[in-house]
Amino acid sequence: MPSMRAWPLLLPLLLAACGDTLFARYAETAWSEAVERAATPLEDLPEPDGPALRLWIRGRPAAAVLLQEIGERRIWRTAAGQVVSTEGGRVTATAGFRQYVAATHFDGPDPLANPAELLDHPAAARRLVDLQDPDGGPEGMRFGLALDCRLRAEATEEAEILLVRERCRSRGRFGFTNLFWVEAAGGAVVRAEQWIGPAMPMLVMEFLGPRSS
């Protein structure tokens, strides 16, 4: 068993083992930067020239810029050092918060990829989540937290937007509901409210496109 002092040094290796060394590199420094600097007020930020995220946690806004994009996987970073990894519109890893989502492992396809099908046919999904605290100590690590979820879509007042509700439970320990507003035609997530750990409030995200000319 590694010593307590060695655990912070192992954090990048643990995250890299999940297949994303760039995310591991940013996650290694994100927490200390988040402590040192407050998030830039959203109203003081210019409109994005490329893909960007607006984030709200406990009602406090921040903006995140795109660092890397590989297929559906994107890595975003705020000025204060918070890092969010998404696949489609779903958060799969975080850093720079009071608790990290170190990795997400899907058991089969994610029904969120086909939201229109959820209108008439709700779907079940299961995934495993790895969590850890910023200091990397073993007492804050939880591997393979099982989430059993059920997804259902419904129409909204905006005909082109569907609302997907994802109700999840973790073997009777706790439950939560994720919300995803998606384009009915293409299935792209435009806004979401997501769980990012039992020690964290829900994370609200809004996906922004490039500034129109």
Side-chain angles (χ1 to χ4, degrees):
M1 176 71 68
S3 67
M4 291 286 289
R5 185 174 301 174
W7 277 106
L9 300 178
L10 292 177
L11 171 59
L13 298 178
L14 288 169
L15 293 177
C18 299
D20 200 332
T21 55
L22 180 61
F23 183 79
R25 186 162 67 249
Y26 283 102
E28 184 179 7
T29 59
W31 177 254
S32 60
E33 293 184 6
V35 171
E36 292 173 0
R37 293 184 293 172
T40 302
L42 192 60
E43 59 271 17
D44 293 342
L45 293 167
E47 290 295 319
D49 290 319
L53 278 181
R54 285 177 179 165
L55 307 176
W56 289 266
I57 191 159
R58 290 195 180 91
R60 185 176 184 180
V65 296
L66 182 64
L67 295 178
Q68 185 190 49
E69 181 176 10
I70 302 177
E72 287 293 307
R73 176 175 293 186
R74 292 180 172 184
I75 299 175
W76 314 83
R77 191 172 191 269
T78 72
Q82 288 105 355
V83 181
V84 176
S85 176
T86 61
E87 292 189 21
R90 185 185 295 281
V91 174
T92 56
T94 64
F97 299 99
R98 191 174 69 245
Q99 186 177 55
Y100 292 174
V101 176
T104 301
H105 312 276
F106 292 91
D107 185 6
D110 185 358
L112 188 61
N114 298 292
E117 296 181 5
L118 299 173
L119 281 168
D120 300 318
H121 303 284
R126 191 172 192 268
R127 60 187 182 272
L128 301 176
V129 177
D130 298 337
L131 301 169
Q132 69 179 76
D133 292 338
D135 61 8
E139 68 281 354
M141 293 183 176
R142 298 173 63 184
F143 295 100
L145 178 65
L147 299 177
D148 294 301
C149 306
R150 188 164 183 81
L151 295 86
R152 178 190 298 271
E154 60 191 65
T156 68
E157 294 181 356
E158 299 180 63
E160 67 276 12
I161 299 294
L162 300 176
L163 172 60
V164 176
R165 298 180 189 272
E166 181 185 43
R167 293 182 170 88
C168 301
R169 295 200 64 82
S170 177
R171 296 180 181 177
R173 297 179 184 176
F174 60 87
F176 59 87
T177 299
N178 289 334
L179 301 176
F180 301 91
W181 287 263
V182 303
E183 295 178 350
V189 176
V190 295
R191 183 180 174 88
E193 180 176 325
Q194 299 185 60
W195 177 90
I196 55 170
M200 296 293 299
M202 301 293 279
L203 177 66
V204 179
M205 308 191 318
E206 182 177 315
F207 290 84
L208 305 178
R211 178 174 51 207
S212 59
S213 56

